[in-house]
Amino acid sequence: MSVGTRTKGRKLDSYTVRRIDGHEVLLDPDLLKLPVELTITSGGIFGRGLSATADGLNGNACPIELL
């Protein structure tokens, strides 16, 4: 998983767009194919930060590691 703030001029048509507490989050289609439950929350100082956690579905091990 990566974070990018510069999207101008980039081809983003394949991404799924979600709005979370005023933030626009683009989800990679390959990530959405994985059997994971992805939780994205806002918080931090002034509510500007985002954090993400990933868990495997139905108690299975998560196939990705968030750094």
Side-chain angles (χ1 to χ4, degrees):
M1 177 181 281
S2 67
V3 174
T5 58
R6 295 187 177 106
T7 58
K8 187 175 181 178
R10 300 224 166 119
K11 186 176 179 184
L12 303 172
D13 296 341
S14 63
Y15 286 77
T16 299
V17 179
R18 296 283 188 259
R19 294 206 53 84
I20 299 171
D21 295 336
H23 299 280
E24 188 173 82
V25 178
L26 296 126
L27 301 168
D28 185 283
D30 291 331
L31 177 64
L32 297 176
K33 294 176 189 175
L34 295 173
V36 297
E37 180 177 293
L38 184 62
T39 304
I40 301 172
T41 56
S42 65
I45 298 173
F46 307 114
R48 294 182 181 164
L50 292 176
S51 65
T53 57
D55 297 305
L57 292 180
N58 301 322
N60 293 315
C62 184
I64 62 172
E65 181 179 336
L66 299 178
L67 303 176

